[in-house]
């Protein structure tokens, strides 16, 4: 594909040079970088390369502390919750790490009918979810891309009692500009797409056939999405395919490109690590496996490098790693997930799933754990519904104003959850977390939040500021 000059591209030589420079560092230099990061202005490639090389335990703990400080100042104790909804595992690509790849005969293929999607949604809203991430392989049933549009409509239209989905994010294959316009009109929240690896040679080795084998088609996808009016996008790397240091610098190049071209970068970054997948050797033996300590480093460095961009942690990771990374910078987590189509209303079936999960706990268990750790589980969808997205969101986020919207909305949606779905134990932990959050709020914000809480306790739902 011939690239428009303005579309994303990765300068590998510049990354290699930055990593070379990053080889030499002393404690003073690292501390200088951390001081700058605390000013919440983000970091450049050279700084990130230096942080990526830090291995001294004392210095590393200072990196982690700086990330905690930044996370706390921007996001407070909020953690937004969502669930993925796999609608289809049909796929025409041959990504060697994924169970859904076309030639994998070990996986049973299934795409859900609209009635089956509604069944899945009823299950998810019955647990208390308000946000869904729609996921699919890159091949749709006979109706083609309109299957995705119909599925989104079904999700929004399926409700029961207080249960409803208020925001549908999507993680589906790259689209044309025309298709992105239709996706935008379907009222999606975030369009999410992971480059998997930004290293061109590695990319070719792990994407053997199908449309996804074209590196540039994938890399320029977010440009097409944003050109089509989607201003809320998520990007990510599948860690384990190539050197993580290279990947985070390339990710930064992608982010800076979007900021320069569209005036706003991605709303979220996802950090999946390769997990075992049926019929994939590489998934169980990643060529560049990321250790747990490096994984924490990745989250901390991203938090410091792009302080206002959300970081998503999925249930690929186990409960302990998830707990640790909340403090380092994660702002959104999935919970109670299944990665096989029909997995919520039916059961978790290994040979229909995309990969194995590290965290099998229910939403209620995760919410209780998160609240007991001092975080505030949030089901808020307000920004997207009042149009605070893209540059508008960043304008609010930068001076820290977003917190005055987010804290009350987080508390209100959490109270809704506790009233409608929380178990007795979770309610107790949740009420305590809300009490503590209110105590720490500025008086005017507390007053506003208490008013919202009183409305919810009296039976009103879906109130936000
Ligand atoms: N099919 C679309 C695509 O590839 O962009 C979207 C959905 S795909 C199911 C979502 C993501 O799952 C991929 O982008 C990839 O990063 C991730 N994934 C695939 N295999 C995985 C594995 N074995 N472990 C962890 N994540 C995996
Ligand atoms: Fe298909 Fe996506 Fe899996 Fe690749 S990662 S095989 S495109 S579902």
């Amino acid at each position: 594909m011939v690239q428009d000059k303005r579309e994303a591209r990765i300068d590998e030589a510049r990354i290699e040079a930055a990593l070379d420079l990053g080889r030499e560092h002393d404690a003073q230099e690292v501390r200088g970088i951390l001081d700058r990061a605390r000013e919440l202005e983000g970091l450049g490639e050279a700084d990130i390369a230096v942080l990526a090389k830090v291995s001294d335990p004392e210095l590393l703990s200072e990196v982690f502390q700086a990330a905690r400080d930044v996370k706390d100042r921007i996001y407070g104790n909020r953690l937004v919750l969502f669930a993925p909804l796999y609608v289809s595992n049909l796929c025409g690509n041959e990504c060697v790490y994924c169970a859904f790849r076309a030639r994998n005969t070990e996986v049973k293929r299934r795409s859900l009918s609209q009635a089956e999607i509604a069944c899945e949604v009823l299950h998810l809203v019955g647990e208390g979810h308000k946000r869904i991430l729609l996921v699919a392989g890159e091949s749709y049933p006979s109706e083609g891309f309109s299957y995705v549009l119909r599925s989104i409509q079904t999700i929004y239209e399926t409700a029961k009692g207080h249960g409803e989905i208020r925001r549908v994010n999507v993680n589906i294959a790259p689209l044309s500009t025309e298709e992105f316009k239709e996706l935008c009109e379907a009222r999606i929240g975030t369009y999410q797409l992971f480059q998997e690896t930004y290293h061109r040679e590695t990319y070719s080795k792990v994407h053997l056939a199908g449309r996804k084998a074209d590196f540039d088609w994938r890399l320029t996808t977010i440009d097409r999405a944003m050109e089509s009016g989607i201003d809320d996008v998520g990007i990510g790397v599948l860690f384990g395919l190539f050197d993580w240091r290279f990947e985070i610098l390339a990710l930064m190049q992608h982010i800076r490109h979007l900021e320069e071209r569209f005036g706003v970068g991605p709303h979220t970054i996802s950090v999946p690590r390769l997990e075992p997948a049926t019929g994939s050797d590489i998934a169980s033996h990643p060529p560049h496996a990321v250790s747990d300590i490096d994984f924490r480093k990745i989250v901390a460095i991203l938090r410091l490098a792009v302080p206002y961009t959300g970081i998503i942690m999925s249930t690929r990771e186990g409960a302990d790693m998830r707990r640790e990374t909340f403090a380092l910078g994660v702002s959104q987590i999935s919970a109670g997930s299944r990665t096989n189509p029909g997995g919520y209303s039916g059961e978790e079936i290994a040979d229909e799933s995309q990969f194995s999960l590290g965290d099998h706990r229910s939403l209620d268990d995760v919410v209780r754990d998160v609240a007991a750790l001092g975080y505030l589980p949030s089901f808020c969808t307000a920004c997207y519904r009042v149009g605070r997205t893209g540059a508008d969101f960043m304008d609010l986020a930068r001076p820290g104003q977003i917190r005055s919207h987010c804290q009350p909305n987080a508390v209100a949606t959490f109270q809704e959850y506790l009233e409608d779905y929380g178990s007795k134990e979770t309610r107790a932990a949740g009420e305590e977390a809300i009490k503590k959050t209110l105590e720490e709020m500025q008086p005017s914000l507390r007053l506003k939040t208490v008013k919202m809480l009183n409305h919810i306790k009296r039976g009103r739902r879906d109130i936000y500021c």
Side-chain angles (χ1 to χ4, degrees):
M1 178 194 155
V2 180
Q3 266 198 58
D4 180 315
K5 273 199 193 107
R6 295 178 307 159
E7 287 181 329
R9 60 187 189 85
I10 299 302
D11 186 340
E12 293 195 3
R14 207 171 83 206
I15 296 174
E16 301 296 350
L19 285 173
D20 245 10
L21 290 176
R23 209 145 278 159
E24 303 293 324
H25 66 258
D26 58 30
Q28 212 181 343
E29 190 188 353
V30 171
R31 287 183 184 127
I33 294 172
L34 298 181
D35 286 346
R36 265 185 287 120
R38 282 193 167 92
E39 286 165 21
L40 310 183
E41 295 291 335
L43 296 175
E45 282 177 45
D47 295 333
I48 295 169
V50 169
L51 295 186
K53 290 275 152 65
V54 172
S55 57
D56 171 68
E58 199 187 315
L59 261 190
L60 201 52
S61 69
E62 290 179 38
V63 173
F64 290 156
Q65 190 51 50
R68 281 189 202 103
D69 294 346
V70 168
K71 149 97 197 220
D72 192 48
R73 276 175 60 200
I74 295 183
Y75 297 89
N77 60 346
R78 282 174 290 115
L79 265 182
V80 172
L81 286 137
F82 72 95
L85 174 53
Y86 280 69
V87 294
S88 165
N89 64 10
L90 310 183
C91 194
N93 292 318
E94 191 59 21
C95 313
V96 296
Y97 46 80
C98 179
F100 296 170
R101 68 191 166 81
R103 292 178 210 144
N104 188 9
T105 50
E106 290 179 47
V107 154
K108 288 196 203 120
R109 303 292 161 169
R110 183 171 181 195
S111 59
L112 302 182
S113 66
Q114 297 304 315
E116 287 170 327
I117 291 173
C119 248
E120 292 283 271
V121 174
L122 285 178
H123 185 94
L124 287 166
V125 299
E127 291 206 323
H129 279 290
K130 296 284 187 268
R131 284 177 175 237
I132 273 182
L133 173 67
L134 181 152
V135 188
E138 186 162 357
S139 176
Y140 306 118
S142 53
E143 69 224 82
F145 170 62
S146 57
Y147 171 74
V148 173
L149 300 175
R150 280 185 63 208
S151 305
I152 295 169
Q153 196 183 348
T154 300
I155 296 169
Y156 278 131
E157 284 172 357
T158 306
K160 190 175 179 194
H162 290 311
E164 61 178 354
I165 293 300
R166 297 174 184 161
R167 174 175 177 137
V168 181
N169 298 333
V170 293
N171 185 325
I172 55 165
L175 302 173
S176 66
T177 311
E178 280 316 306
E179 289 168 330
F180 270 128
K181 283 185 185 148
E182 291 183 68
L183 194 63
C184 188
E185 281 161 19
R187 297 189 299 120
I188 60 155
T190 309
Y191 172 71
Q192 203 182 70
L193 188 83
F194 310 152
Q195 184 61 25
E196 320 298 10
T197 172
Y198 284 96
H199 189 251
R200 193 177 281 271
E201 192 189 324
T202 305
Y203 189 94
S204 308
K205 283 186 191 155
V206 297
H207 300 105
L208 302 181
R211 192 86 212 252
K212 193 164 166 182
D214 183 340
F215 179 91
D216 292 317
W217 169 249
R218 195 161 180 96
L219 184 62
T220 54
T221 304
I222 301 295
D223 289 87
R224 288 193 300 284
M226 294 183 94
E227 280 167 17
S228 313
I230 296 179
D231 62 359
D232 191 326
V233 295
I235 61 176
V237 166
L238 182 55
F239 287 102
L241 296 173
F242 191 61
D243 184 346
W244 66 267
R245 296 167 191 84
F246 177 97
E247 301 287 17
I248 58 171
L249 285 175
L251 189 82
M252 287 309 299
Q253 285 191 1
H254 196 181
I255 292 171
R256 299 299 179 221
H257 158 78
L258 296 173
E259 287 173 346
E260 275 163 29
R261 185 166 177 208
F262 299 101
V264 62
H267 185 59
T268 57
I269 300 174
S270 296
V271 289
R273 272 198 292 189
L274 264 181
E275 294 299 329
T278 305
S280 166
D281 197 35
I282 194 178
S284 304
H285 305 98
H288 290 266
V290 174
S291 68
D292 286 354
I293 189 80
D294 283 343
F295 190 61
R296 285 185 212 115
K297 247 162 93 172
I298 290 170
V299 173
I301 292 172
L302 290 175
R303 181 71 300 135
L304 298 171
V306 275
Y308 295 101
T309 306
I311 299 180
I312 301 181
M313 182 66 58
S314 76
T315 48
R316 289 174 180 85
E317 298 297 330
D320 288 342
M321 179 55 80
R322 277 155 57 89
R323 286 188 193 108
E324 282 190 51
T325 52
F326 297 162
L328 295 176
V330 166
S331 54
Q332 289 190 30
I333 58 168
S334 50
S337 308
R338 296 275 190 279
T339 68
N340 58 307
Y344 295 111
S345 35
E347 54 183 320
E348 189 175 1
I349 302 173
D351 61 7
E352 287 178 16
S353 299
Q354 194 194 11
F355 47 78
S356 37
L357 298 173
D359 186 347
H360 293 267
R361 294 172 301 164
S362 67
L363 175 63
D364 189 70
D365 286 346
V366 172
V367 166
R368 187 169 60 255
D369 186 39
V370 162
L373 287 168
Y375 296 98
L376 188 71
S378 169
F379 295 85
C380 180
T381 54
C383 279
Y384 141 81
R385 293 163 80 210
V386 298
R388 280 193 302 258
T389 57
D392 290 345
F393 174 83
M394 283 301 166
D395 286 349
L396 270 176
R398 290 232 155 82
Q401 288 180 40
I402 203 77
R403 260 184 95 161
S404 60
H405 288 285
C406 293
Q407 284 296 81
N409 290 337
V411 172
T413 54
F414 185 32
Q415 185 71 44
E416 276 191 4
Y417 173 84
L418 295 176
E419 302 275 329
D420 296 337
Y421 311 100
S423 64
K424 198 167 148 241
E425 299 75 26
T426 302
R427 275 187 78 133
E431 300 286 358
E432 195 53 42
I434 290 179
K435 191 169 147 238
K436 198 164 153 270
T437 305
L438 289 174
E439 280 166 8
E440 286 166 8
M441 272 182 180
Q442 293 164 350
S444 60
L445 207 57
R446 187 184 313 133
L447 196 66
K448 179 168 148 184
T449 312
V450 168
K451 272 190 193 158
M452 289 167 78
L453 279 179
N454 288 339
H455 282 308
I456 286 164
K457 286 177 187 166
R458 276 188 246 114
R460 265 189 68 189
R461 293 290 174 270
D462 201 15
I463 41 177
Y464 48 86
C465 56

